[in-house]
Amino acid sequence: MQNRPRYSHGALLVLHEENEIRQSWPLDADETTIGRWPDNAIIIADRWVSRHHARIVRRGLRYLLEDLGSKNGTFVNSQRLAAPHELEDGDCIQVAPKYKLTFVDAEATAPVQPAGPRLRLDAAQRRVWVAGQEILPPPSPAQFAFLELLSHDPDRVFNRDEVIAAVWPESDAAGVSDEAVDSLVRRLRKRLAEADPAHDYILAVRGHGFRLAPGP
C-alpha cells in the first residue's frame, strides 16, 4: 500500500448539485453522519438517500468513510463502497445521482480562484485576499459562505433564496428577512472596501439578487 497523506483538522466536504457548488461542511467532529433525516450532521433531502446513509469517522489524522447499510449504496470515485475507505484530497463521494460531495484536505494548497486576480478565496482555510491583502480578522462564517457562493460563478446572479440556502442552510427561507440578507451584504462590502476602496466586488441586481465583480 502506498503511503497516504495524513490530514489535520480543517478538512471539509463540498456539496455539488447538478454540477454547481451549493454548500460546504467542516469535518471538525469525531463523527459526521450523512443522510435524509434531520438528526444527521449533513442532511440531503432526496428520496435516493437513506435516513442514515453514511458517516465519516475521524481517527487521529485520518478520515474514514463508511456506508451505514444504505439502500442505494455510497460511491467513492464511482466505485461502490464495500468497506471503510480512507479519504484522500479530491475524493468524490456520491450518495444520490444528483449530489456529489468532494473531500477537501486541510493541507490542500490550491485556492479557489474567481474570474479576476484581485479577489482570492481559500475554501479549506476560509481565508480571503483582496488586491493581495488578506482580510483580517477573517470574514465570519456567514460572510464567507456568501462570498464563496458568488465566487463559483461570477457571471451569474444568485437570488435571495439561493443566498439563504447557502448562508443559513438550517433555516426556513421564509424565516430569514430581507433585512438580514441586506445587513450581511452591507457588512461584507464594508470589509472588502477597507482593503480595496476603489472597487465594488458585490453588485446588487435590482429585483433579481447579487453577483460578484471580482475585479479587472
Side-chain angles (χ1 to χ4, degrees), residues 4-18:
R4 296 180 177 181
R6 299 306 183 191
Y7 307 123
S8 60
H9 299 303
L12 72 159
L13 284 185
V14 178
L15 173 67
H16 300 256
E17 180 184 352
E18 296 180 338

Side-chain angles (χ1 to χ4, degrees), residues 115-119 196 199-201 212-216:
R118 297 174 66 83
L119 180 63
D196 187 7
H199 185 72
D200 188 0
Y201 288 86
L212 190 69

Side-chain angles (χ1 to χ4, degrees), residues 24-147:
S24 63
W25 295 270
L27 297 174
D28 50 9
D30 290 337
E31 180 176 305
T32 302
T33 57
I34 305 168
R36 195 176 71 246
W37 274 22
D39 59 345
N40 291 281
I42 298 175
I43 303 167
I44 300 180
D46 187 288
R47 62 183 179 82
W48 190 275
V49 180
S50 296
R51 297 172 181 176
H52 300 100
H53 197 104
R55 68 178 175 182
I56 295 173
V57 178
R58 187 177 64 187
R59 294 181 180 172
L61 301 179
R62 304 161 63 204
Y63 291 86
L64 301 179
L65 173 68
E66 303 175 355
D67 184 80
L68 296 178
S70 65
K71 179 180 179 181
N72 294 306
T74 300
F75 294 78
V76 179
N77 303 326
S78 300
Q79 299 296 314
R80 184 161 184 161
L81 205 62
H85 170 83
E86 182 175 342
L87 291 168
E88 298 185 21
D89 182 49
D91 274 352
C92 178
I93 303 165
Q94 194 157 10
V95 296
K98 182 179 174 181
Y99 300 95
K100 293 181 180 179
L101 294 155
T102 301
F103 176 77
V104 179
D105 175 8
E107 301 300 326
T109 57
V112 176
Q113 180 67 56
R118 297 174 66 83
L119 180 63
R120 185 162 61 93
L121 281 72
D122 184 334
Q125 301 296 327
R126 295 172 180 79
R127 299 166 66 188
V128 177
W129 291 263
V130 176
Q133 177 180 337
E134 184 173 3
I135 302 298
L136 294 173
S140 69
Q143 291 170 354
F144 188 89
F146 175 64
L147 192 57

